[in-house]
Amino acid sequence: MTLRPLQDSLGRPVTKLRLSVTDRCNMRCMYCLPCSPEGGWVQRSDLLSFEEIERLVRLLAGMGIDRIRLTGGEPLLRNDLPDLVKRLHAIPGIGGIALTTNGFGLARHAQELKESGVSTVNVSLDSLKREKFMLITGVDAVARVLHSIASAAEVGLRVKINCVLIRGVNDDEIESIARLAEHDPYVVRFIEFMPFDGSGLWNPSRVVAFDEVIQRLATSVALEPTDPPVSDGPAREYLPAGWAGRIGIIPSVTRPFCNTCNRLRLTSDGRLVSCLYARDRSNDLRAVLRNGGSDDDLESLIRDIVSRKPAGCIEWLKGDDRRPAAAVPPPGHRVQTPMHLLGG
């Protein structure tokens, strides 16, 4: 089934879907989970079933969605996840399936995920130091995550390593984490700390900006931008001279990339979110699915949601200016919906 491609009111095509399969996680990262999420989890009966997910993805693929990223929470906590991957991989038009994971259980699932259709895994790794890793995640698992990264590469998965930089917490490890790409073909990506209200830690002073990361890395290795530039994601990637892998930087706060945003998010309980910072969280596809709605009903709602996709991903845009403000948000401003509910 081929339908009119998805495009928002500003003419931006929508081709990617971040698909959360669970809001639950076996880590408690300080920038993601609220301090006390107990009682706030999505009820299991409210999670989309694999059949419901498959139906929605099939419909979205007909409207031009061709890349899927499975997220959570921690997606490997969802039982039988490789079965879902097989279902999605078989849908015409889906050209790639990736997985974002904390790496805790990746090693034992890597081979099956590869065989099911996953091509890329993004693994969160915010410190190489045992005690600091425990501080950030609440779990003593840095050795286990490093083993998972190696295991994923061994079975042929493309590996990206994601590090959220927080000044005063892990910014002293920029160079050492980057060197994971020196001898292995990993893409090590540094992400600016975004204003989500996990532990209430965020403020502008804790953001380690794009320019600073580049300057720090350039003191130890020559960096050349990829040519042509990487165009299928938000990271700006660089080739360190003589290294096997790459370095990426995602400047989500200091250099927002809203004008090229091409993604939607589907939460684990069936809400379609057009922007990570959007205030509207009532876009309930699950209700349409479970109340007997037709594919035409779903398509109509999806197109309405996409038509309301904000011009910029930051709520504090000035007046009618469609360009995201270059400055950091006002002091004290945080997004109240925790990251684990939005699928990252």
Side-chain angles (χ1 to χ4, degrees):
M1 176 174 59
T2 302
L3 304 170
R4 177 167 51 89
L6 283 173
Q7 191 175 74
D8 69 19
S9 62
L10 300 178
R12 294 172 296 187
V14 178
T15 59
K16 293 183 178 181
L17 178 68
R18 294 183 67 98
L19 172 56
S20 176
V21 296
T22 180
D23 65 322
R24 307 208 175 210
C25 191
N26 46 11
M27 293 188 184
R28 194 181 295 276
C29 295
M30 60 172 59
Y31 52 79
C32 180
L33 280 174
C35 296
S36 300
E38 287 79 4
W41 301 116
V42 173
Q43 298 299 308
R44 296 191 184 279
S45 60
D46 290 334
L47 292 176
L48 291 179
S49 68
F50 285 1
E51 291 76 18
E52 290 170 330
I53 292 172
E54 182 180 1
R55 180 182 174 189
L56 290 175
V57 171
R58 192 174 296 276
L59 183 61
L60 287 163
M63 291 186 276
I65 293 289
D66 60 6
R67 299 288 182 89
I68 305 291
R69 176 169 295 282
L70 300 175
T71 71
E74 170 48 44
L76 293 176
L77 293 182
R78 184 73 185 259
N79 291 334
D80 302 318
L81 186 65
D83 177 52
L84 176 62
V85 174
K86 290 178 183 177
R87 291 170 179 249
L88 302 183
H89 187 63
I91 294 175
I94 298 301
I97 298 177
L99 176 80
T100 293
T101 173
N102 61 28
F104 189 87
L106 178 60
R108 68 176 181 271
H109 294 292
Q111 183 66 51
E112 188 176 11
L113 289 168
K114 171 68 174 177
E115 293 171 354
S116 300
V118 171
S119 59
T120 303
V121 290
N122 287 25
V123 184
S124 297
L125 180 65
D126 297 317
S127 178
L128 296 173
K129 300 176 180 179
R130 182 182 179 188
E131 290 186 359
K132 189 181 297 183
F133 186 95
M134 291 175 64
L135 171 69
I136 295 171
T137 68
V139 178
D140 182 6
V142 64
R144 182 167 181 156
V145 173
L146 288 169
H147 173 64
S148 285
I149 289 170
S151 298
E154 286 174 5
V155 303
L157 290 166
R158 186 185 184 208
V159 177
K160 297 181 180 181
I161 298 170
N162 288 347
C163 175
V164 176
L165 288 175
I166 305 174
R167 191 178 305 281
V169 177
N170 63 348
D171 58 313
D172 60 326
E173 294 189 68
I174 292 174
E175 292 86 350
S176 58
I177 292 173
R179 287 197 174 276
L180 292 172
E182 184 173 7
H183 302 294
D184 293 290
Y186 305 143
V187 182
V188 176
R189 310 195 309 172
F190 296 101
I191 304 171
E192 290 181 348
F193 186 21
M194 299 170 69
F196 280 82
D197 196 16
S199 62
L201 177 67
W202 191 90
N203 65 59
S205 67
R206 291 193 178 273
V207 177
V208 183
F210 171 92
D211 290 337
E212 180 178 343
V213 177
I214 288 292
Q215 291 168 7
R216 292 269 295 273
L217 292 174
T219 63
S220 57
V221 63
L223 297 174
E224 291 291 337
T226 56
D227 185 19
V230 174
S231 59
D232 65 347
R236 303 187 183 196
E237 290 192 2
Y238 295 82
L239 298 171
W243 287 19
R246 298 184 179 190
I247 299 298
I249 304 172
I250 301 179
S252 45
V253 174
T254 63
R255 302 185 185 186
F257 33 85
C258 309
N259 61 330
T260 59
C261 182
N262 60 356
R263 65 187 61 179
L264 294 172
R265 287 175 169 80
L266 182 62
T267 67
S268 59
D269 58 349
R271 291 172 294 124
L272 191 65
V273 179
S274 64
C275 173
L276 193 58
Y277 291 86
R279 297 179 181 181
D280 185 1
R281 305 296 186 207
S282 62
N283 303 317
D284 192 352
L285 299 185
R286 187 191 69 208
V288 179
L289 287 167
R290 297 188 181 179
N291 290 324
S294 67
D295 282 358
D296 287 343
D297 295 329
L298 289 165
E299 181 189 356
S300 177
L301 178 54
I302 290 167
R303 292 194 184 280
D304 177 60
I305 294 166
V306 171
S307 73
R308 292 184 278 112
K309 184 176 174 70
C313 70
I314 298 179
E315 295 173 326
W316 43 88
L317 296 176
K318 298 179 180 179
D320 293 329
D321 188 352
R322 291 180 179 272
R323 296 169 301 168
V328 295
H333 184 99
R334 297 184 183 90
V335 178
Q336 296 302 311
T337 304
M339 183 69 81
H340 77 288
L341 291 177
L342 294 174

